[in-house]
Amino acid sequence: MTARAGEYGFAAAFAALGAAVLAGAGSIPRPSAVSGIGPQVFPYIVGAVLLVSGLGVLAGISRGHAGAAEAGEDVDAEESVHWSVIIRLVLLIAAFGLLIGPTGWPVAATVLFVGAAWTLGAPRSWPSVLIGVVMAMAVQLVFGSALGLSLPPGPLLEWTGIG
Amino acid sequence: MDNLSLLLDGFAQALQPQYLIWAFIGVLVGTAVGVLPGIGPAMSIALLLPLTYTLDPTAALITFAGIYYGGMYGGSTTSILLNTPGESASVVTALEGHRMALAGRGAAALATTAIGSFVAGTIATIGLTFLAPTLSQWAVTLRPSDYFALMVIAFITVGALLGGSPIRGMAALGLGLFVGVIGTEGTSGQQRFTLGIPELGDGIDVVLVAVGLFAVGESLYVASRLRKGPISIVPVTGSFRTWMSREDFRRSWRPWLRGTVIGFPIGTIPAGGADVATFLSYGAERKLSKHKEEFGQGAIEGVAGPESANNAAAAGVLVPLLTLGLPTTATAAIMITALQSYGFRPGPQLMTSQSGLVWALIASLYIGNIMLLVLNLPLIGVWVKVLQVPRAYLYAGILLFAGFGAYATNFLVADVAILLLIGLIGFGMRLYGYPIAPLVIGAILGPMAEQQLRKSMLISQGDPTYLVTSPFAIAAYLSLIGILILGLWLRRRGGAPDEL
């Protein structure tokens, strides 16, 4: 995917969402008991803002006003986008979501942390796994045990009474 | 004076040991996240919103205010010392402060920043103390249409004045407003854009929006073009007691005060936040300086002024937040969410109905400022260490906390999926130059604006001219036009600070 195509696509998505909101707003039922303006009026405004600004961005890109990618302390603007890193991180977050039910927070969080750290270039060794376990357990103890949030400790820890 | 006794009550509250500890934790966390690239106060407060389930409101708000002020202090340390300064609110500090550091005067730059932030923060907090009660008394008389006008101003200024591209800002705002619309509508009970998915019936939680955009989106974007190689930091030498010479003080105190005077009013009006204030202050210092030739080479006035303006604006933002319930920055919007999660209605009634809470919060701002001054100068060695955290672990840690924040909101796996989706949108927005703040403000302020709009139309029995005919609304819309023209003009000059 070229940068240009992606930029057109992203702006078109805003415009398309706007069109969809405009189309969908009409089908929000307006209960007869409601006086004043109904629940569909504000969505019409929102849809119009999205559609107009999306089209505006598209027109701007075609006239050469490309978006300036955000700069940052850790961002190398010269570097091209590494899509493989994005895909791996997305899969890791998805795995976290799937794991947290069956395995509890400590395991799911460790998988997410260690996987992300390795993806970003941390040494693939036991110390980085240890850092992940410590981080996950620290959150479990501080927020789960000390502050009383019901983070699931998971089957591995249930017998300890932590949670 | 009555306000003074309320403030003293606030101090009596905020000086209790448990609140002092929360204030301390707040400023410590705030400075740390301010120092760390990739995390800011908006994201940290969003991540810590689950705290509101277990803490009492005063403790939570004191912590959040500490994070807010601390983040301002920490951010400037990064831009002075890191060899790869970011391009956000502290771009001006980076300009002069970083040059000072390279010339071996990093300690003086850090010191003038810390003391200037303290001076500006304290004076601006005094301004807040006296302005807020008066303003909230007046705000009670505003009509729904006046509130709607204020919100329109906030939407348009934040959308058009933040980030490099006004039209992309409006697109981001539209997306935020749409996110706010999703869910069951309050008045009529109608489902809107839930696509029949039960999890969307209650709408998309603001925590997911903020954490997804700031934490996941930012991490994905940084990860996609991560800077390789060692993190290079300009070394700081000397003891903190000898950091500023008499000459440095002589050159700094006027810019501190001028920065405060410029920053505080700009913070109170929705005019694009602290960025505009820092640019204005930088321009003023450059004009007034006797050392014009030093600007661009590391002039201490160019650090002292904008940094004070930055902090004064940060305090100024709390004025519309506490008196009108109107957030003008992403961080303020998330603090509104914290208030709502306790069932408080943000607005002019807050100062009277929750006066104990508000005054304890204001008192904690004074205390937090002192803590920050005391913490920052001696602990600079610690912050330099924090700055050196390996980036792989830093961003892995941000993702871990993002997962925590998303899951701890409702303990639903569906929320992690929504988080991921919003994170991908945030990634695309960064990649293609869309500002993030308008989306957050739209999502939080949108539902409130709709309520005010519907109230207005109910009162006027469907006559839309009611929206624009009250004296206040007329003044508001006229000043919106003025702010826009001024802001866009300043931005054109601010976009190239070398030509100021």
Side-chain angles (χ1 to χ4, degrees):
Chain A
M1 186 166 71
T2 66
R4 215 55 198 282
E7 204 172 348
Y8 273 118
F10 202 71
F14 276 94
L17 178 65
V21 171
L22 286 177
S27 59
I28 299 170
R30 184 185 192 288
S32 53
V34 174
S35 46
I37 58 172
Q40 76 286 7
V41 172
F42 198 68
Y44 273 123
I45 301 173
V46 174
V49 170
L50 274 167
L51 181 61
V52 170
S53 54
L55 292 175
V57 176
L58 281 175
I61 302 171
S62 71
R63 279 186 280 123
H65 298 298
E70 192 176 289
E73 286 95 345
D74 288 337
V75 175
D76 191 345
E78 319 270 285
E79 193 85 11
S80 60
V81 173
H82 295 293
W83 290 101
S84 64
V85 173
I86 301 296
I87 292 168
R88 265 182 281 177
L89 289 180
V90 167
L91 290 177
L92 280 165
I93 298 171
F96 166 80
L98 294 175
L99 281 175
I100 193 157
T103 71
W105 162 265
V107 174
T110 305
V111 168
L112 174 62
F113 181 91
V114 178
W118 284 0
T119 305
L120 294 173
R124 303 199 175 199
S125 57
W126 283 107
S128 53
V129 177
L130 190 67
I131 295 173
V133 173
V134 169
M135 291 280 290
M137 285 310 295
V139 170
Q140 180 79 42
L141 291 175
V142 170
F143 290 93
S145 307
L147 290 168
L149 285 180
S150 46
L151 268 186
L156 283 178
L157 287 174
E158 229 137 48
W159 56 273
T160 60
I162 292 173
Chain B
M1 219 173 104
D2 196 30
N3 291 334
L4 221 50
S5 69
L6 284 169
L7 180 65
L8 287 178
D9 287 349
F11 269 107
Q13 180 92 332
L15 283 171
Q16 288 174 34
Q18 81 267 30
Y19 293 138
L20 278 179
I21 290 172
W22 284 114
F24 182 75
I25 292 174
V27 295
L28 206 62
V29 170
T31 314
V33 300
V35 167
L36 285 170
I39 329 181
M43 180 192 134
S44 336
I45 296 177
L47 283 178
L48 292 177
L49 276 179
L51 278 184
T52 56
Y53 298 142
T54 55
L55 285 186
D56 75 82
T58 314
L61 283 176
I62 284 178
T63 312
F64 293 162
I67 293 174
Y68 180 57
Y69 270 27
M72 296 288 154
Y73 274 70
S76 45
T77 308
T78 310
S79 48
I80 291 171
L81 294 184
L82 201 62
N83 250 331
T84 54
E87 294 290 318
S88 55
S90 42
V91 61
V92 188
T93 313
L95 207 70
E96 299 296 333
H98 187 60
R99 299 268 160 73
M100 282 179 76
L102 289 177
R105 310 221 314 117
L110 288 170
T112 197
T113 298
I115 302 172
S117 300
F118 170 74
V119 170
T122 304
I123 295 176
T125 308
I126 295 173
L128 167 71
T129 308
F130 287 98
L131 200 57
T134 327
L135 206 57
S136 73
Q137 268 165 22
W138 164 79
V140 180
T141 65
L142 291 180
R143 306 192 298 181
S145 61
D146 300 335
Y147 273 102
F148 185 69
L150 279 171
M151 288 167 181
V152 170
I153 292 183
F155 286 145
I156 296 192
T157 51
V158 170
L161 296 180
L162 288 180
S165 159
I167 187 80
R168 286 180 176 78
M170 294 314 290
L173 171 69
L175 187 57
L177 293 173
F178 173 65
V179 169
V181 163
I182 296 173
T184 309
E185 202 270 325
T187 319
S188 63
Q190 293 302 320
Q191 301 250 319
R192 296 194 295 190
F193 303 102
T194 56
L195 307 172
I197 303 168
E199 279 85 357
L200 289 179
D202 290 333
I204 295 180
D205 207 294
V206 172
V207 177
L208 296 177
V209 177
V211 173
L213 290 173
F214 288 113
V216 179
E218 172 81 11
S219 298
L220 289 178
Y221 179 63
V222 173
S224 74
R225 0 177 93 159
L226 190 62
R227 201 183 285 278
K228 299 291 190 309
I231 302 153
S232 84
I233 290 168
V234 188
V236 181
T237 48
S239 145
F240 71 90
R241 287 184 189 79
T242 57
W243 276 8
M244 276 181 83
S245 65
R246 194 176 290 270
E247 168 75 2
D248 290 333
F249 265 107
R250 208 180 48 71
R251 287 177 60 179
S252 289
W253 71 269
R254 283 192 195 89
W256 290 339
L257 297 180
R258 275 196 291 265
T260 310
V261 171
I262 293 171
F264 183 67
I266 290 185
T268 58
I269 57 170
D275 297 22
V276 179
T278 55
F279 283 130
L280 272 180
S281 165
Y282 185 76
E285 294 311 327
R286 190 176 176 142
K287 268 218 177 65
L288 293 167
S289 172
K290 294 194 189 81
H291 308 269
K292 285 200 179 58
E293 72 291 346
E294 279 184 31
F295 272 77
Q297 316 292 326
I300 195 165
E301 293 92 341
V303 183
E307 276 306 305
S308 310
N310 192 15
N311 264 56
V317 165
L318 296 176
V319 174
L321 179 75
L322 292 177
T323 59
L324 300 167
L326 191 72
T328 54
T329 63
T331 316
I334 293 164
M335 286 170 79
I336 286 271
T337 310
L339 282 173
Q340 285 172 329
S341 73
Y342 284 112
F344 302 147
R345 277 197 33 223
Q349 304 86 358
L350 193 71
M351 297 276 309
T352 42
S353 67
Q354 296 295 332
S355 103
L357 171 72
V358 171
W359 286 103
L361 175 67
I362 293 176
S364 85
L365 295 176
Y366 289 98
I367 299 167
N369 253 315
I370 295 170
M371 283 181 176
L372 281 166
L373 183 67
V374 175
L375 272 181
N376 263 277
L377 292 179
L379 287 188
I380 187 67
V382 176
W383 305 131
V384 169
K385 287 255 159 41
V386 167
L387 208 42
Q388 284 164 318
V389 170
R391 294 307 185 244
Y393 295 121
L394 170 62
Y395 289 99
I398 293 175
L399 286 177
L400 177 140
F401 274 101
F404 165 72
Y407 187 71
T409 318
N410 299 309
F411 302 100
L412 286 174
V413 174
D415 284 347
V416 180
I418 296 174
L419 175 84
L420 186 53
L421 182 69
I422 295 175
L424 282 170
I425 294 171
F427 166 70
M429 290 174 69
R430 281 181 176 75
L431 190 59
Y432 300 125
Y434 294 76
I436 302 291
L439 205 172
V440 177
I441 303 242
I444 293 173
L445 206 49
M448 296 191 224
E450 185 181 10
Q451 283 307 315
Q452 300 293 352
L453 176 67
R454 295 182 66 174
K455 262 194 222 165
S456 310
M457 299 313 281
L458 204 59
I459 294 170
S460 74
Q461 297 179 318
D463 176 13
T465 58
Y466 174 81
L467 289 173
V468 291
T469 45
S470 83
F472 179 84
I474 293 171
Y477 287 115
L478 284 179
S479 55
L480 170 64
I481 297 168
I483 290 172
L484 271 186
I485 292 171
L486 186 72
L488 293 176
W489 175 73
L490 277 174
R491 169 215 292 290
R492 282 183 46 179
R493 297 184 45 167
D498 284 337
E499 290 157 26
L500 269 176

